[in-house]
Amino acid sequence: MASRTTKALLSLGRINIPALGLNNAVSRVTYATALSVNSSSSKKGAPERNGRGFGSRKPRREAEGPRTEKMPVDQDWTAVYPAATPFRPGSVPLPVRMGYPVKGGVPPEKKGNLELIKIPNFLHLTPAAIKKHCEALKPFCTEWPSALDTDAKCDEHFPIKVECTDYVSSGLSVRNPSARIVQLKVKLSVLNLDDHARKKMLKLVGERYCKDTDVLTITTDSCPLRQQNYDYAQYLLTVLYHESWKTEAWEAEKTVADMEEYSWEGSPSQKNIMDLLLRMNVAGEGEGEEVREQLLGRSEVQEYKDSVTRLKNEGDNEGSVLQYKEAVKKVFNL
Amino acid sequence: MAAPTALKRELLPLARILGGISHLKPRSLTVCSGHRKCSVTRSCLPLTPSTSFHTATFLSSSPSAITVTEEPDTLFQKLLVSVKSHDSAVLDSYEFFATMAAKELGITIGKVFEPPKDIKRMTLLKSVHIFKKHRVQYEMRTHYRCIELSHITGSTAKVYLEYIQRNLPEGVAMEVKKTAMEKVPDHILKPLWEDVPAEDKPGQ
């Protein structure tokens, strides 16, 4: 008794699970006959054996045609197919044909067609059904704040972007280990960093920083859960920020090779041009610090300095090489 | 004898309620997260009929109250839903369903595009033993479809994703890439060395 009722409940519950295509035929049969089986077991438990002898009390119902013939045109289709169910040729009033056509013929009809049952159908998701579902779902949704229309405004107020991925698939396990990966992206221009802090941050971070877009990407996947990875990423950001503001004692030993940018003061280029100019002007003026400062102050020397700095920082492109050429010509008065 | 009749009487309202459950689906499912198929909760039904009647009566009453919590809603700048399957016709229908659902719920759709399909081919020996010249070739085609949604709140995203994932057809897999936006946390606004200058700096 209990098993029969549980089977009935099982069949009724199964209607609502879309992706379980197990025992469809069984569930259909149990759905159709669940109540009648129940009633028959309760009413005719004892006289079942004698029924065949004396003739059945209830007149046997004649087999009627498919339901499609009795369906009105303006029926509520969402009641016919409320949830994901396999294709039932007797319930779908469409003259559908599917399959490879017989030689010189047409694809087979829908009655008894396995091809139509095999593929997933969307008969339960007609536009009317979708509208009904969304009407019911509307109260649970919240509105997007109207002040954040453009991406620029979003970036201004909410500069940190956290990316994570969810995976849905059918298989032996529901979980996907790649779902724990968290990516934190932030633009360094948004953080409160001074010059030294920024340079130190770039050195600490290394490859995770993209120069073109000024975006620091921290990807964490070392923890088993997504929440843990997110916390770890936030922790890393905090630590990087505070550590980059600190100045350690050994940072004073920074050599020219460690420098990120080229600076002209104290470089061999400055020494060379100073010596050159001094030798050129040796006849006119005397040697000394004032001469050096005068030479430095001259506009050609400044231009030369700019062109050399640009060449070293940006590399050899047309503009920088031309600028260098012009500066050298001016220095030599060519 | 009394037990089955009593159960039968209660089966009818249960059928009616579960028939109507298609548009009441999300309300009872507050526990399940977006990336899990909720077959776990449903499997409780056949095992404990008494508790299932309990839920039936609960659902037949007025819809469950919507709780509004104080914690701020997450804001998703971009939600990239990509589905893949062996059948492009199924993906066509699913795309129609997902885009219509997004429009009905008022979600801005960025772009809907179809990345090129992947074909994995393998050439295997036809026979179990020898006959190297006679092979058989198989191929597996994977079709993709991507829907990009922008500017969604956390609650709307949960509702939409759960609705979409519940109606994911058989043989279709989905990946959802969420980009949440956040403010700069308070502890990164200023370096903490400013407040405590006399503190001994570690790591000397």
Side-chain angles (χ1 to χ4, degrees):
Chain A
M1 224 57 89
S3 63
R4 233 179 255 123
T5 51
T6 49
K7 236 211 263 175
L9 286 167
L10 183 78
S11 61
L12 289 169
R14 274 222 177 126
I15 288 164
N16 297 316
I17 304 173
L20 292 178
L22 315 160
N23 299 333
N24 288 327
V26 172
S27 70
R28 249 190 301 149
V29 164
T30 50
Y31 176 54
T33 58
L35 295 172
S36 59
V37 164
N38 239 341
S39 57
S40 68
S41 68
S42 62
K43 285 181 186 166
K44 300 205 293 187
E48 197 49 20
R49 278 177 241 142
N50 304 328
R52 278 182 213 155
F54 295 129
S56 45
R57 290 183 196 182
K58 247 187 181 173
R60 202 175 156 208
R61 210 176 60 175
E62 286 193 4
E64 294 161 4
R67 199 171 132 202
T68 52
E69 287 158 21
K70 283 175 254 160
M71 279 180 174
V73 179
D74 55 351
Q75 70 176 334
D76 183 20
W77 181 254
T78 55
V80 181
Y81 260 86
T85 13
F87 184 83
R88 288 189 293 258
S91 301
V92 179
L94 297 167
V96 189
R97 286 181 173 268
M98 179 140 163
Y100 193 78
V102 179
K103 193 169 178 184
V106 291
E109 58 175 13
K110 65 178 179 177
K111 193 169 172 191
N113 195 333
L114 192 64
E115 295 293 320
L116 282 165
I117 300 174
K118 282 198 296 198
I119 53 146
N121 64 55
F122 283 78
L123 292 162
H124 58 292
L125 293 172
T126 49
I130 301 174
K131 286 202 174 86
K132 264 197 196 172
H133 297 160
C134 291
E135 278 308 309
L137 291 172
K138 270 266 185 198
F140 293 93
C141 303
T142 49
E143 259 188 40
W144 180 260
S146 46
L148 298 167
D149 319 330
T150 57
D151 273 338
K153 278 195 207 163
C154 294
D155 292 339
E156 184 198 320
H157 296 285
F158 297 92
I160 298 189
K161 316 279 177 202
V162 179
E163 258 178 44
C164 44
T165 322
D166 285 343
Y167 298 88
V168 181
S169 64
S170 55
L172 294 168
S173 164
V174 182
R175 292 151 218 290
N176 192 318
S178 318
R180 69 183 201 283
I181 300 174
V182 171
Q183 246 196 11
L184 196 121
K185 287 192 173 165
V186 68
K187 281 203 166 156
L188 284 189
S189 49
V190 167
L191 299 175
N192 179 18
L193 291 166
D194 73 349
D195 196 42
H196 158 263
R198 193 193 155 85
K199 287 191 179 156
K200 187 166 176 190
M201 169 85 97
L202 293 181
K203 274 213 187 293
L204 283 171
V205 138
E207 274 191 7
R208 295 176 190 82
Y209 175 73
C210 171
K211 239 186 186 172
D212 303 322
T213 54
D214 186 36
V215 165
L216 165 65
T217 311
I218 300 176
T219 312
T220 37
D221 62 349
S222 40
C223 305
L225 296 182
R226 185 191 285 175
Q227 182 61 37
Q228 294 173 340
N229 278 319
Y230 171 73
D231 292 336
Y232 182 51
Q234 292 278 13
Y235 163 76
L236 280 179
L237 185 67
T238 317
V239 161
L240 279 170
Y241 179 77
H242 291 297
E243 285 296 312
S244 56
W245 271 98
K246 265 204 277 188
T247 315
E248 306 275 347
W250 44 260
E251 286 185 37
E253 296 160 19
K254 195 175 180 186
T255 60
V256 174
D258 294 328
M259 297 281 183
E260 295 88 2
E261 285 174 336
Y262 176 79
S263 65
W264 191 74
E265 288 84 20
S267 69
S269 169
Q270 188 191 20
K271 259 183 270 162
N272 288 339
I273 197 161
M274 284 296 121
D275 292 337
L276 200 71
L277 288 171
L278 278 170
R279 265 182 264 138
M280 273 165 54
N281 299 342
V282 119
E285 299 134 35
E287 299 214 4
E289 285 304 312
E290 308 100 39
V291 183
R292 284 185 182 270
E293 279 173 31
Q294 241 182 21
L295 286 170
L296 270 172
R298 266 202 250 162
S299 61
E300 299 113 19
V301 181
Q302 291 297 318
E303 269 185 37
Y304 180 76
K305 167 192 165 189
D306 289 334
S307 67
V308 168
T309 325
R310 190 184 160 186
L311 204 63
K312 289 270 184 179
N313 283 338
E314 284 178 31
D316 303 331
N317 53 8
E318 266 200 54
S320 53
V321 173
L322 279 171
Q323 194 184 356
Y324 179 73
K325 176 179 113 180
E326 296 300 315
V328 166
K329 280 205 305 201
K330 277 202 196 133
V331 165
F332 289 133
N333 301 323
L334 293 170
Chain B
M1 269 308 172
T5 48
L7 288 169
K8 192 192 85 177
R9 251 186 276 122
E10 257 159 307
L11 267 173
L12 289 169
L14 183 64
R16 241 185 284 128
I17 287 150
L18 284 174
I21 208 176
S22 54
H23 51 265
L24 283 177
K25 270 187 288 215
R27 292 189 199 196
S28 49
L29 306 160
T30 47
V31 182
C32 308
S33 55
H35 63 273
R36 266 201 263 161
K37 284 237 167 134
C38 299
S39 47
V40 182
T41 42
R42 280 291 176 225
S43 64
C44 302
L45 263 176
L47 300 172
T48 50
S50 52
T51 48
S52 70
F53 293 144
H54 234 325
T55 52
T57 48
F58 172 73
L59 290 162
S60 64
S61 59
S62 57
S64 51
I66 301 161
T67 48
V68 181
T69 47
E70 283 305 318
E71 62 172 272
D73 218 352
T74 39
L75 297 168
F76 289 110
Q77 193 171 24
K78 206 170 71 158
L79 212 74
L80 185 69
V81 176
S82 64
V83 278
K84 55 183 186 177
S85 166
H86 288 303
D87 195 345
S88 58
V90 169
L91 290 180
D92 282 336
S93 305
Y94 190 74
E95 175 201 317
F96 172 81
F97 157 66
T99 43
M100 187 168 180
K103 259 183 249 162
E104 293 290 319
L105 289 175
I107 301 172
T108 42
I109 301 175
K111 51 178 170 160
V112 181
F113 57 100
E114 184 181 350
K117 62 180 186 274
D118 280 334
I119 305 181
K120 188 171 175 184
R121 289 197 184 99
M122 39 182 69
T123 312
L124 308 168
L125 294 172
K126 207 187 236 185
S127 169
V128 157
H129 180 57
I130 51 172
F131 303 120
K132 190 67 174 250
K133 281 194 280 185
H134 303 90
R135 312 242 184 159
V136 74
Q137 290 184 314
Y138 295 109
E139 70 175 26
M140 290 185 288
R141 297 187 176 188
T142 310
H143 302 265
Y144 302 94
R145 211 54 72 101
C146 290
I147 303 172
E148 199 180 298
L149 311 162
S150 48
H151 296 333
I152 322 180
T153 53
S155 333
T156 314
K158 270 192 199 161
V159 166
Y160 178 73
L161 285 175
E162 180 151 358
Y163 180 51
I164 290 282
Q165 285 163 6
R166 290 216 143 240
N167 291 307
L168 201 67
E170 303 85 11
V172 177
M174 182 197 276
E175 270 180 33
V176 182
K177 229 172 154 179
K178 307 189 228 176
T179 312
M181 353 190 269
E182 282 172 25
K183 290 201 158 147
V184 178
D186 292 333
H187 41 268
I188 299 187
L189 291 173
K190 275 192 312 182
L192 52 96
W193 319 118
E194 274 177 11
D195 303 328
V196 198
E199 187 190 307
D200 246 10
K201 288 193 190 141
Q204 282 285 49

